[in-house]
mmCIF file of all heavy atoms in Angstrom:
data_model
loop_
_atom_site.group_PDB
_atom_site.id
_atom_site.type_symbol
_atom_site.label_atom_id
_atom_site.label_comp_id
_atom_site.label_asym_id
_atom_site.label_seq_id
_atom_site.Cartn_x
_atom_site.Cartn_y
_atom_site.Cartn_z
ATOM 1 N N LEU G 158 78.544 97.384 109.117
ATOM 2 C CA LEU G 158 77.727 97.046 110.304
ATOM 3 C C LEU G 158 77.866 98.137 111.362
ATOM 4 O O LEU G 158 76.885 98.530 111.993
ATOM 5 C CB LEU G 158 78.150 95.676 110.856
ATOM 6 C CG LEU G 158 77.814 94.480 109.961
ATOM 7 C CD1 LEU G 158 78.406 93.195 110.521
ATOM 8 C CD2 LEU G 158 76.273 94.331 109.830
ATOM 9 N N ASN G 230 83.592 114.030 108.591
ATOM 10 C CA ASN G 230 84.506 113.432 109.563
ATOM 11 C C ASN G 230 85.888 113.206 108.981
ATOM 12 O O ASN G 230 86.890 113.250 109.708
ATOM 13 C CB ASN G 230 83.957 112.093 110.078
ATOM 14 C CG ASN G 230 82.592 112.257 110.688
ATOM 15 O OD1 ASN G 230 81.590 111.871 110.082
ATOM 16 N ND2 ASN G 230 82.533 112.864 111.845
ATOM 17 N N LYS G 374 101.999 96.019 82.727
ATOM 18 C CA LYS G 374 102.935 95.269 81.884
ATOM 19 C C LYS G 374 102.252 94.990 80.547
ATOM 20 O O LYS G 374 101.106 94.481 80.505
ATOM 21 C CB LYS G 374 103.305 93.960 82.579
ATOM 22 C CG LYS G 374 104.368 93.187 81.828
ATOM 23 C CD LYS G 374 104.813 91.964 82.608
ATOM 24 C CE LYS G 374 105.970 91.304 81.915
ATOM 25 N NZ LYS G 374 106.472 90.139 82.644
#
Side-chain angles (χ1 to χ4, degrees):
L158 292 173
N230 303 106
K374 185 174 187 179

